Amino acid sequence: MRNIISSIAQFLPLLMCSSAMAQTTVEHPQQHFPAPRTEVLATPEQLDFEATTLRVLATPEMVAAIRRIERLYGHDPRAHDAAGQARIKRAAQSIGVAAINYAISEDASRPAVIWATNLHHNWHGMAVPGSGFGIENPDNIYQGITVAGGGYYVLQGRLPQPGPIELHFEVRDSIPGFGAMQVEGFRQLATLQSEQMQIEPDGRFRILIDSNPADQSANHLLIPDSGIYHIGIRQLLTDWAIQPPAELRVQRLDPAPAPAPRNITELGHLAAQILDIIGPYWLNYNNQYIYTRPVNSLTTPRVRPGGRGISASGHYALAADQALVVTLAPLGAASLGIQLADPWGVAYDYDQRSSSLNNTQAVANSDGTYTFVISARDPGVHNWLDSGGFASGLIAIRWQRLNGPTAQDAASGIRSVNVVRLDAVQDAIPAGPGRTAITDRNALHADRKKAYRLRLIQ
């Protein structure tokens, strides 16, 4: 994240290891793992991070910065849409909280695995607002670690069974939303996926993180020898009700300066400056890559970099009596997911309603494809993407855990996309299980809410 440091270092002095420290010889740790504990996501470091986030959110600098984003959104064409207008404040605060998370994470002197980019949640005496943006995936638990280039770290973990079907690690060159606009929002310097790793039979593993290119072990992430870098982590879930998150802990093993006390005022300045950059970036991103496409259509699926499968996106705007019916082929992916987001790219409250569905939660057609229905009103079928009554927004589709996906695979992922009358939805779905009717949507939502809470109670 060297480009970040050069532009905003005056607000938060970063604690870097010296060149002498970078040359310190550190013995590889023995293969030992932490004892099990009950708090998987709600670690002491996580709760301290979130308490700091709430304090920064209340600073005058952040209050003013979020208001600037609200005004920015208010002048965008999306503000003329009912869903866009209704979600301006929610979306502006959401990306504002994300900017605060990035500001706090610029301090590499407190290495910890932090859960960020998540829904609003109440736990441990705190009401923590959501921090989503960029069409965050409801099937992912997004975490991150901030490291100093030249440092030597070990990440230890335990993958439960059943648990996430994939862990994905990536070393990023910048905060998503800094630098030149590109499809992924940042450049990956190194990646590692759980299927490439050595994992013990009981699910335990360790990953070495350092600047030594000679280390060719399977569980290794290479970081540059200077600067501050963010390691993004995704835990991919398909069955929320039975897949708790993996336990992850990180430790720096070479000598490093002690953490300095956090300065909330400086963090407020830093977070505001980050928000002033990433807020316009993601607004322009949507306008350039999504809203230039025809409405009620999807982009041609593409193979994503870093072994992350295939993705497609689009936007929809429907009348009250219309539905968008989308049929997808799973392509052999362990995870096929489709979701709705508001016009600003913030996911709807997927813990409360089925605004996203994956191939475990959805009902397949007789031929193995999946047909999904997007509409403001309940069409009475199982595979309904529920936006909470909003008739417009963004669509994201992801095929994940494929073996070497190709452009030819990607092209066959979308079978059909059609606007139909709401009362003709049944006829638009292939005969078979995909037409499954739902008579008690409230019960389905209650089960979903209970399943989501598995992330919070571990």
Side-chain angles (χ1 to χ4, degrees):
M1 298 184 181
R2 283 167 289 187
N3 56 336
I4 305 170
I5 296 168
S6 63
S7 61
I8 57 183
Q10 67 267 31
F11 293 113
L12 179 63
L14 299 171
L15 300 175
M16 306 287 293
C17 61
S18 68
S19 59
M21 290 177 181
Q23 297 169 1
T24 300
T25 300
V26 181
E27 295 183 1
H28 282 213
Q30 297 297 312
Q31 185 78 2
H32 63 86
F33 296 90
R37 64 187 189 185
T38 56
E39 69 278 10
V40 174
L41 295 181
T43 62
E45 297 85 0
Q46 178 73 34
L47 299 181
D48 174 70
F49 186 95
E50 292 186 333
T52 303
T53 296
L54 293 176
R55 294 177 64 194
V56 177
L57 183 61
T59 61
E61 292 80 10
M62 274 310 298
V63 170
I66 291 173
R67 295 292 180 269
R68 288 195 293 273
I69 297 302
E70 291 177 6
R71 290 193 294 271
L72 177 70
Y73 288 176
H75 289 94
D76 187 82
R78 253 38 71 190
H80 301 301
D81 175 271
Q85 182 61 233
R87 295 278 297 191
I88 283 178
K89 288 185 177 295
R90 181 71 171 270
Q93 177 179 268
S94 186
I95 196 168
V97 174
I100 295 171
N101 291 345
Y102 285 130
I104 300 172
S105 297
E106 279 298 290
D107 179 2
S109 69
R110 294 176 173 84
V113 179
I114 298 298
W115 179 38
T117 313
N118 49 37
L119 278 179
H120 54 87
H121 51 279
N122 295 285
W123 65 353
H124 303 275
M126 292 186 293
V128 184
S131 56
F133 68 99
I135 321 182
E136 72 275 22
N137 184 356
D139 293 329
N140 280 340
I141 294 175
Y142 292 95
Q143 295 168 289
I145 308 167
T146 303
V147 297
Y152 182 71
Y153 303 82
V154 61
L155 172 66
Q156 299 187 86
R158 180 180 286 106
L159 192 62
Q161 291 298 329
I165 67 168
E166 182 180 64
L167 300 179
H168 184 93
F169 304 87
E170 61 189 9
V171 181
R172 300 170 177 171
D173 70 338
S174 66
I175 287 175
F178 272 64
M181 187 172 293
Q182 50 190 347
V183 174
E184 288 292 325
F186 54 85
R187 186 167 60 95
Q188 299 169 336
L189 302 181
T191 62
L192 181 64
Q193 294 173 200
S194 50
E195 55 264 40
Q196 302 167 328
M197 292 165 46
Q198 294 177 353
I199 300 176
E200 296 295 311
D202 64 358
R204 295 182 295 179
F205 61 89
R206 67 172 187 164
I207 299 172
L208 299 179
I209 304 167
D210 59 35
S211 304
N212 180 13
D215 191 339
Q216 298 298 316
S217 63
N219 297 3
H220 181 239
L221 278 170
L222 182 67
I223 57 175
D225 58 11
S226 64
I228 300 293
Y229 295 89
H230 184 71
I231 299 175
I233 305 169
R234 296 177 179 87
Q235 300 197 39
L236 177 60
L237 310 176
T238 48
D239 192 334
W240 299 1
I242 65 171
Q243 294 172 335
E247 179 183 344
L248 302 173
R249 298 192 217 176
V250 68
Q251 182 181 7
R252 183 169 182 172
L253 300 181
D254 60 318
R262 287 190 172 119
N263 186 311
I264 300 301
T265 299
E266 290 180 350
L267 284 171
H269 283 294
L270 179 61
Q273 186 162 351
I274 291 174
L275 181 56
D276 284 340
I277 295 172
I278 67 173
Y281 178 100
W282 287 105
L283 182 64
N284 292 335
Y285 180 98
N286 292 338
N287 285 333
Q288 176 173 328
Y289 287 111
I290 299 179
Y291 288 118
T292 53
R293 306 277 183 172
V295 69
N296 298 324
S297 68
L298 295 169
T299 61
T300 301
R302 66 183 181 87
V303 178
R304 305 183 74 181
R308 290 176 53 206
I310 296 168
S311 69
S313 61
H315 65 109
Y316 68 99
L318 300 164
D321 62 346
Q322 289 181 323
L324 188 65
V325 180
V326 178
T327 297
L328 306 173
L331 304 180
S335 173
L336 164 62
I338 181 172
Q339 73 168 106
L340 305 181
D342 70 23
W344 312 109
V346 177
Y348 286 116
D349 295 338
Y350 47 83
D351 62 333
Q352 306 285 338
R353 59 185 72 253
S354 57
S355 59
S356 73
L357 289 169
N358 63 44
N359 54 319
T360 297
Q361 300 163 337
V363 175
N365 298 320
S366 299
D367 63 357
T369 63
Y370 291 83
T371 298
F372 300 95
V373 179
I374 299 169
S375 58
R377 290 160 42 202
D378 191 341
V381 296
H382 187 282
N383 294 354
W384 176 44
L385 292 164
D386 177 5
S387 65
F390 293 117
S392 61
L394 302 180
I395 308 167
I397 304 169
R398 303 173 182 90
W399 294 260
Q400 298 178 94
R401 281 291 306 274
L402 295 90
N403 293 323
T406 65
Q408 184 175 359
D409 296 329
S412 62
I414 299 175
R415 295 296 174 83
S416 63
V417 182
N418 296 300
V419 176
V420 303
R421 286 178 53 87
L422 194 63
D423 57 12
V425 162
Q426 284 280 352
D427 294 337
I429 299 175
R435 287 186 179 176
T436 301
I438 288 294
T439 57
D440 191 347
R441 188 73 66 181
N442 290 335
L444 192 68
H445 285 168
D447 289 343
R448 185 180 180 92
K449 186 174 182 178
K450 182 179 178 181
Y452 178 81
R453 282 198 58 80
L454 187 62
R455 308 181 195 190
L456 302 177
I457 63 176
Q458 295 298 312

